[in-house]
Amino acid sequence: MKPYHYKALVIEKSTPRVFSYHLSELPNRELSESEVLVRVHYSSLNYKDILSCQGNPAVTRRFPHTPGLDAGGVVERSNSSKFKAGDKVAVFCTPMGMNHSGGLAEYITVPEQWLVKVPDQISLMQVMVFGTAGYTSTLAVEEIIKHTPPGGSVLVTGASGGVGSISAILLNKLGFKVTASVSREQGEAFVKSFGIKDVIKTNSLLGKGSHNLLPQKWDAIVDVAGGEVLSALLKQVKEEGLVIATGLAAGTHFSSTVLPFILRGITLKGINAEGSSTEKKSDFLHKLASEWNCDELSTVYRLVQFKDVCEAIRAYESHQIFGRVVVNMEGNYYE
Ligand SMILES: NC(=O)c1ccc[n+]([C@@H]2O[C@H](COP(=O)([O-])OP(=O)(O)OC[C@H]3O[C@@H](n4cnc5c(N)ncnc54)[C@H](OP(=O)(O)O)[C@@H]3O)[C@@H](O)[C@H]2O)c1
């Protein structure tokens, strides 16, 4: 393969622990066995990408580093019998972007097992509107469908973020009675813009005092917050209800008594989207192209050009982003 350079977002570490990110040029490398070279058309920003940009060692330990959990593009060159040049492919919910070079680059070189073929009926951009956050939502929604009666009441926390907004949209479309919780001032208007009428403030969920149980409110809950929010939610889910833990935006530690479990028979279920098989991801892409496709998804993201990605990351860091950020990797990067 001829040597060339491609553009990528690069996070640099300077001593002792100062991190900065900028667009840069990186040299290509030869493909190893079973590796595939993909020209990236769209990527996205996820919660962990921001942690990576901040040098969070729980996400990224090796610098310089290119973040980007998600990528959608076209195979340019392949050392895999499963993929050929011209195939439309996506990568999401893999180790890419954490300690492996990520999707915020013109090209990615990835092992074949990280790639999923994208059906003709959906665009690469639509796949990136979902990305890792949206795929996580679909796993939570599938659990709710299995466990909760049709039309049941479901609370979604962090509903102005990626996982929360897509969960709320899908659950609403599927006929569940959705309550969305938000903390930020403009969060309510954002959530209402995609058709959720019942919106509450997240801090209203935190029960006052030290009660072990609180009035029963929801059949199921999708929680992106964790921490003290999750501790409070366990006390408020209805008998035989389900709480899905997807995130830790409010903290990693939570506390509970056994009472909601033994007196109300509730279930607490965790989601690990990265553990999904390629087959499951492929099923998800087909669902996305058909029964889960809906107009509301077009209101849940903002599209930014790659040349502006640093600005978008700064906006994310200062809590000015609602929903998803899709990054267009095509076009002119430097003006
Ligand atoms: N389990 C998995 O496989 C998996 C996959 C993807 C993501 N995640 C996790 O899911 C979480 C959300 O990801 P995301 O993509 O939705 O991120 P995001 O788009 O940045 O949204 C995070 C949301 O959390 C809310 N939030 C922030 N601090 C909070 C607090 N202290 N209490 C309550 N809510 C708070 C924010 O909304 P308001 O400020 O309006 O409340 C925001 O809407 C992250 O922890 C991420 O690591 C897990």
Side-chain angles (χ1 to χ4, degrees):
M1 196 178 353
K2 263 174 56 185
Y4 62 90
H5 282 74
Y6 64 94
K7 282 142 191 141
L9 180 67
V10 176
I11 308 166
E12 310 264 5
K13 178 184 178 184
S14 53
T15 48
R17 284 201 54 77
V18 177
F19 296 88
S20 59
Y21 47 84
H22 55 270
L23 294 183
S24 189
E25 301 242 343
L26 298 177
N28 69 327
R29 66 169 174 82
E30 291 295 329
L31 295 186
S32 304
E33 203 185 324
S34 303
E35 277 192 331
V36 180
L37 175 70
V38 178
R39 170 75 168 91
V40 181
H41 290 213
Y42 292 93
S43 181
S44 88
L45 295 183
N46 282 281
Y47 191 85
K48 276 187 181 167
D49 296 324
I50 306 308
L51 296 182
S52 183
C53 287
Q54 293 168 343
N56 187 314
V59 179
T60 306
R61 285 181 176 273
R62 289 194 293 268
F63 297 91
H65 172 68
T66 291
L69 300 190
D70 298 334
V74 174
V75 172
E76 184 121 331
R77 193 183 286 266
S78 174
N79 262 358
S80 155
S81 56
K82 295 183 181 154
F83 297 93
K84 59 178 188 326
D87 283 348
K88 207 164 92 170
V89 292
V91 184
F92 50 91
C93 298
T94 69
M96 188 177 83
M98 290 187 274
N99 283 303
H100 297 266
S101 196
L104 288 162
E106 278 184 300
Y107 289 94
I108 51 171
T109 300
V110 289
E112 61 180 15
Q113 63 269 24
W114 290 2
L115 290 170
V116 193
K117 281 190 184 152
V118 174
D120 287 340
Q121 303 90 310
I122 42 172
S123 69
L124 292 169
M125 195 180 89
Q126 281 174 298
V127 179
M128 289 297 104
V129 170
F130 269 73
T132 291
Y135 182 66
T136 305
S137 309
T138 64
L139 297 178
V141 169
E142 277 185 341
E143 291 299 330
I144 287 180
I145 294 169
K146 274 191 255 168
H147 194 281
T148 309
S153 55
V154 187
L155 170 71
V156 179
T157 63
S160 65
V163 175
S165 59
I166 295 180
S167 300
I169 287 173
L170 293 177
L171 290 163
N172 198 34
K173 176 181 168 60
L174 293 166
F176 291 98
K177 194 171 160 299
V178 177
T179 301
S181 91
V182 296
S183 315
R184 286 171 292 172
E185 211 42 62
Q186 301 119 298
E188 179 166 349
F190 174 72
V191 168
K192 287 190 167 164
S193 75
F194 51 76
I196 308 297
K197 296 191 180 76
D198 188 15
V199 186
I200 60 174
K201 278 280 183 315
T202 303
N203 61 13
S204 72
L205 295 166
L206 304 175
K208 293 188 180 66
S210 56
H211 305 284
N212 291 322
L213 292 167
L214 290 167
Q216 303 180 36
K217 290 189 184 152
W218 297 282
D219 293 305
I221 298 173
V222 178
D223 178 47
V224 305
E228 60 171 351
V229 177
L230 179 57
S231 307
L233 296 177
L234 294 172
K235 301 174 185 178
Q236 298 176 64
V237 69
K238 285 185 187 170
E239 219 164 283
E240 300 301 325
L242 172 68
V243 180
I244 312 240
T246 69
L248 41 71
T252 48
H253 289 72
F254 70 97
S255 60
S256 178
T257 65
V258 294
L259 297 179
F261 298 92
I262 63 172
L263 294 183
R264 292 182 175 169
I266 73 160
T267 302
L268 173 61
K269 166 112 182 90
I271 297 284
N272 173 18
E274 202 190 309
S276 280
S277 66
T278 308
E279 290 69 32
K280 191 151 176 62
K281 290 179 188 172
S282 184
D283 286 351
F284 148 73
L285 290 181
H286 283 95
K287 253 186 183 162
L288 177 55
S290 52
E291 62 194 279
W292 281 358
N293 194 1
C294 58
D295 291 345
E296 288 76 9
L297 291 171
S298 63
T299 65
V300 87
Y301 71 96
R302 97 164 51 162
L303 184 65
V304 303
Q305 303 303 314
F306 187 36
K307 68 181 175 59
D308 300 324
V309 72
C310 294
E311 205 179 303
I313 293 168
R314 284 190 287 275
Y316 203 137
E317 290 180 305
S318 55
H319 310 291
Q320 289 162 32
I321 297 287
F322 295 90
R324 298 271 299 138
V325 175
V326 176
V327 184
N328 181 5
M329 307 297 293
E330 300 165 312
N332 299 317
Y333 304 99
Y334 303 116
E335 285 177 339

